[in-house]
Amino acid sequence: MWCTSCALAVEGSLKRLEGVREVSVHYPSATLCISGTPAATQLSTLAAKVKRLGYRLTELEPVGDAHGRLESESRYLTLRLMVGSLFGMWTMLASLLIYAGALPSERVELVVAWVSGAFSLPVVLFAGMPFYRAGWRTLMAKRPGMDVLVSLGVIGAVMVSVWLLWRGSAEVYFDTAVMLIVLLLVGRLVETLCRHRGLKALDALTLPDRNIKVWQNERWVSLPVAEVAAEMRVELAPGELVALDGTLDESGWIDTASLTGESLPRHFQAGQAIYAGCRYLGTTPIVMQVSAGVGKRRLDRLCDEMRRYQAKKGELQKLADRFAAWLSPLAMVLALLTLPAALLFGLGWEDALVRALSVLVVACPCAVGLAVPLASLAGSGQAMQQGVALRDPAVLETLARIRSVAMDKTGTLTTGSHAVLHWQAREGADRQALQRKLRAAVAGSEHPLAQALARWASSLGDQQSEPCEEVNEVPGEGRRVKLSSGEWLSVGSASWMARQRIVLPDQAEDAALAFASQVMVADEAGWLATLYLSDQPVDDAEPSVKRLLASGYVVAMISGDRQGAVSWLGERVGLAREACYAQRSPEAKARLLQALPSPTLYVGDGLNDTLSLAAADVGIAPLNASEAAREGASAQLMTPGIGGVVKLLGIAKRTRRIMVQNLFFSALYNTLALGLVVLMAIPPLVAVLAMAASSLTVTINAARLAWAEPDEEG
């Protein structure tokens, strides 16, 4: 498409199809979003309708193809701009000599005026051709827009100039036609580059095509990644980028920095899911079973969803489209009325034609049409650069007005990984000896609390541990191990210890740590130690919550966990006790959320959060959210923690400010300019410069959002 008028033409044409309920065409991303009956929304049906307008409709293109299309558009515009600038320069020079009175006689002025017209021909006939083509298409769609005005302005300027030359006058307006085309080409080229920049935000979600090793026909073969299907087993070489989603057949160290931004690698266990975009850091090859091939990977889904939802428009965009839709017909009517009105008021044919020409030129609604889409695209690109993938960029408008922020606890405000908060041991017990024995006792256990104990036992003291000769484990309850020294050690819950007839002392700390998970340790002499563990807050939970509170948001934590654990975490991150809601069912979470001041934002990661994500005005899924939560959210954090929520709110406020600025000033310009040009004489060249300046201002203002540093405080 050539401009927003093209988008409106396609939109208007498809709206008239029977069975179509809603149509939205997003010009910056060249994307169509349509809903209706299955018969009406078939690609073949839509493509045939669009083809009659002179456009081509295809399936959603890959990001690489979109880059190629925009690069082709840039070259297309650059060539026409070069032709327009080269020949237009001589046209402007000739006109300048005439205007300045620098020529010796009227006869020479007339010759120079003809020269000016000759140099304008390549500009008018070649560089301006896309405007005429788009104008004709929009007329066919009965949605005349900016290109119709531009075409009429150029043709009018040339015809008036030829008529004046035929009469022997050197006061021609070829320069107006040339300036109109050249300046609009500059604006279109800048718009295309901004669209290209916004599209580059999706590059973080694409991976290069390459060959990988696949186990096939009882041997390892090299296949293109696009040919590898689910259930196939592939080999990961040390340092290799993971190209597909899958599960590991064995444990290994994985660098998730490219996908999550984590600075330290993580140790993944056998059977644990990993996603395309991570990097294997082991020293020997390992095998992974593919769960999703190219096109169905987590990154592919995020990329496609983000680009599909770009076609949806917020209220500001709909307002801009309505304004641009009636502005073009109004300008043409005013231009037609200006000509006879000027003649009635005693102006000559020449002045009347110039006045009507100025009305056409000044009314071009390019700036209005670009006011919101470019700002939205720049805002969603900035969000992606800050680690937040927007499924619906139109949600930026709602995010800018958020009043309440509610969050889930486990997996959202916490890491989902337990750590030792406190420990008690019988009198005379040595900490290093306890850690050494405990490290041996829990080695190899997959229980989350056992893994937390292993981390604590390895954090201090002697790193040597005794091997176990015998292990007896009751899953979920505890384990009894025989160390190499012959000593027996038991590790498990208090209830399991009691069933083993181990006498446990009264714990003075129980009341204060009632929310924590308890793990008992006993040796042959009886009770040895009690360790208290709790899920830890994510690193940026406290600063993020405090920034939200300082910015005036109502912040709440809504969890299904116990009151003690919820209150403890709330105190850790800076929330008041009355803002922490515990033991809430999914239905109760949603009801409580709707009672908060709206618009509301909810951040949750689990299946039990999907109802709240739908009930909130905006839902956000953390990095490790479940599939159901990701599907129900408008945005997903691509980095650990919740700091992305603060950044996104700041970006949304800046984006809406720029949307409002663009829409207000572009609408004000068009309204005032139309009034002025009807009431008083404004040279067409001045009208061209004013129209182009308004479009460039909108574009540069949106680009300022894309290039600026994010404002976390909004």
Side-chain angles (χ1 to χ4, degrees):
M1 294 183 293
W2 178 244
C3 68
T4 50
S5 296
C6 301
L8 290 173
V10 174
E11 194 173 287
S13 179
L14 295 180
K15 278 181 179 177
R16 291 193 288 270
L17 286 175
E18 185 178 354
V20 171
R21 291 189 297 270
E22 184 180 357
V23 182
S24 177
V25 179
H26 190 245
Y27 163 64
S29 61
T31 308
L32 164 69
C33 181
I34 186 167
S35 63
T37 62
T41 55
Q42 290 292 324
L43 179 62
S44 57
T45 304
L46 300 174
K49 184 73 172 178
V50 170
K51 186 177 181 180
R52 286 196 287 271
L53 296 177
Y55 302 102
R56 182 171 58 92
L57 182 65
T58 65
E59 292 281 2
L60 192 66
E61 61 188 354
V63 176
D65 291 349
H67 277 300
R69 174 175 55 81
L70 289 177
E71 287 172 0
S72 177
E73 286 183 24
S74 299
R75 290 193 297 269
Y76 177 86
L77 290 170
T78 301
L79 175 61
R80 278 155 177 76
L81 181 58
M82 290 173 62
V83 171
S85 301
L86 177 63
F87 289 94
M89 175 182 64
W90 294 108
T91 301
M92 295 300 298
L93 178 60
S95 299
L96 183 62
L97 292 174
I98 297 173
Y99 294 152
L103 299 174
S105 65
E106 292 184 0
R107 185 177 180 81
V108 175
E109 285 185 351
L110 188 61
V111 172
V112 172
W114 278 102
V115 171
S116 172
F119 276 115
S120 72
L121 287 178
V123 183
V124 173
L125 298 179
F126 176 74
M129 185 58 67
F131 292 107
Y132 317 143
R133 186 184 300 118
W136 178 250
R137 290 171 176 173
T138 54
L139 274 177
M140 288 179 61
K142 301 177 183 178
R143 294 293 293 267
M146 187 202 69
D147 292 293
V148 173
L149 295 178
V150 172
S151 302
L152 290 176
V154 170
I155 294 169
V158 172
M159 291 181 65
V160 169
S161 299
V162 171
W163 178 65
L164 290 172
L165 281 175
W166 188 258
R167 291 182 53 202
S169 171
E171 298 293 328
V172 293
Y173 297 99
F174 293 116
D175 55 337
T176 299
V178 166
M179 286 293 290
L180 187 62
I181 292 172
V182 170
L183 288 178
L184 278 173
L185 282 172
V186 171
R188 292 289 167 79
L189 182 58
V190 174
E191 292 162 18
T192 303
L193 294 176
C194 284
R195 289 163 61 195
H196 205 167
R197 181 182 177 86
L199 188 64
K200 284 183 177 179
L202 296 171
D203 286 344
L205 300 179
T206 60
L207 295 174
D209 292 331
R210 58 185 177 83
N211 285 10
I212 57 177
K213 296 183 70 174
V214 181
W215 182 254
Q216 196 173 55
N217 299 326
E218 302 301 321
R219 62 190 181 94
W220 291 105
V221 297
S222 179
L223 290 179
V225 66
E227 296 181 13
V228 180
E231 306 302 328
M232 287 186 173
R233 298 172 72 237
V234 300
E235 183 181 87
L236 299 179
E240 184 178 0
L241 189 69
V242 180
L244 301 164
D245 294 354
T247 55
L248 295 176
D249 284 3
E250 50 193 299
S251 62
W253 287 94
I254 304 293
D255 179 10
T256 61
S258 61
L259 184 62
T260 68
E262 291 180 275
S263 57
L264 297 176
R266 296 166 53 194
H267 190 264
F268 281 66
Q269 301 295 331
Q272 194 168 353
I274 62 172
Y275 297 102
C278 299
R279 190 177 297 276
Y280 171 55
L281 297 180
T283 56
T284 58
I286 61 173
V287 177
M288 179 187 84
Q289 183 170 343
V290 177
S291 61
V294 172
K296 298 181 179 180
R297 299 171 297 188
R298 180 182 179 186
L299 286 178
D300 296 324
R301 291 195 302 272
L302 280 172
C303 186
D304 287 346
E305 287 170 359
M306 183 175 177
R307 296 185 59 213
R308 281 194 183 95
Y309 279 91
Q310 280 181 336
K312 290 193 173 181
K313 300 174 184 176
E315 291 303 316
L316 288 178
Q317 177 61 53
K318 292 176 183 176
L319 179 62
D321 288 349
R322 287 196 294 268
F323 185 80
W326 65 256
L327 181 62
S328 297
L330 174 64
M332 285 189 283
V333 171
L334 284 177
L336 291 174
L337 294 177
T338 299
L339 183 61
L343 293 174
L344 287 175
F345 278 95
L347 296 179
W349 274 98
E350 180 180 339
D351 290 338
L353 286 171
V354 169
R355 187 76 65 87
L357 179 63
S358 297
V359 171
L360 289 175
V361 171
V362 82
C364 292
C366 182
V368 177
L370 291 170
V372 174
L374 284 179
S376 178
L377 194 64
S380 60
Q382 179 79 320
M384 177 61 76
Q385 291 173 11
Q386 295 301 315
V388 184
L390 288 178
R391 294 181 62 187
D392 182 3
V395 85
L396 285 168
E397 296 176 33
T398 306
L399 279 166
R401 299 181 289 108
I402 289 295
R403 294 176 60 196
S404 304
V405 179
M407 305 182 192
D408 178 43
K409 172 186 169 285
T410 306
T412 300
L413 281 172
T414 67
T415 62
S417 177
H418 284 67
V420 175
L421 294 178
H422 181 75
W423 68 282
Q424 288 179 291
R426 71 185 176 211
E427 189 175 352
D430 178 68
R431 176 170 179 166
Q432 288 191 356
L434 172 64
Q435 288 181 306
R436 185 169 58 252
K437 292 177 181 180
L438 191 60
R439 188 162 54 245
V442 299
S445 174
E446 296 182 358
H447 194 284
L449 294 183
Q451 294 174 0
L453 291 175
R455 289 192 295 272
W456 177 79
S458 302
S459 61
L460 294 172
D462 186 7
Q463 295 298 308
Q464 297 179 356
S465 62
E466 300 181 44
C468 294
E469 294 183 352
E470 186 178 342
V471 178
N472 299 312
E473 183 170 359
V474 179
E477 295 280 347
R479 58 166 32 191
R480 180 173 168 80
V481 301
K482 182 180 181 181
L483 303 178
S484 59
S485 61
E487 182 181 5
W488 284 89
L489 198 70
S490 299
V491 182
S493 65
S495 58
W496 182 74
M497 290 284 189
R499 290 198 297 273
Q500 306 301 313
R501 290 185 169 81
I502 297 174
V503 178
L504 303 175
D506 293 333
Q507 302 294 323
E509 304 284 345
D510 279 0
L513 296 169
F515 67 90
S517 300
Q518 294 183 20
V519 176
M520 304 290 182
V521 183
D523 57 15
E524 294 170 337
W527 173 81
L528 176 61
T530 302
L531 297 102
Y532 300 86
L533 301 92
S534 179
D535 195 0
Q536 296 297 294
V538 292
D539 292 339
D540 61 358
E542 182 179 1
S544 297
V545 168
K546 287 184 176 178
R547 281 202 297 268
L548 290 172
L549 291 170
S551 298
Y553 295 103
V554 175
V555 183
M557 176 169 53
I558 310 176
S559 174
D561 205 351
R562 297 164 296 162
Q563 182 65 58
V566 172
S567 299
W568 173 81
L569 181 63
E571 185 179 349
R572 286 285 303 272
V573 300
L575 286 175
R577 188 177 182 86
E578 56 270 17
C580 302
Y581 301 90
Q583 296 176 303
R584 304 285 170 155
S585 67
E587 295 79 6
K589 280 187 173 185
R591 288 194 298 269
L592 180 57
L593 183 66
Q594 291 178 318
L596 296 175
S598 62
T600 56
L601 167 67
Y602 185 78
V603 189
D605 71 309
L607 184 63
N608 63 330
D609 294 310
T610 53
L611 195 58
S612 296
L613 289 167
D617 293 283
V618 180
I620 297 180
L623 173 66
N624 294 315
S626 66
E627 186 70 22
R630 288 198 298 269
E631 289 297 325
S634 302
Q636 183 176 351
L637 304 181
M638 302 297 292
T639 56
I642 60 167
V645 175
V646 184
K647 293 178 181 178
L648 181 59
L649 289 170
I651 290 170
K653 286 185 177 181
R654 296 190 65 232
T655 301
R656 184 175 173 84
R657 280 201 300 267
I658 286 182
M659 285 179 181
V660 173
Q661 290 168 7
N662 284 353
L663 191 56
F664 174 77
F665 286 113
S666 56
L668 181 66
Y669 156 77
N670 282 97
T671 304
L672 293 180
L674 272 177
L676 287 174
V677 79
V678 170
L679 297 174
M680 59 185 293
I682 295 179
L685 185 60
V686 174
V688 170
L689 293 172
M691 182 274 300
S694 68
S695 299
L696 287 174
T697 300
V698 166
T699 302
I700 292 170
N701 200 32
R704 181 172 62 86
L705 173 66
W707 295 326
E709 291 296 324
D711 179 8
E712 293 186 2
E713 299 298 330

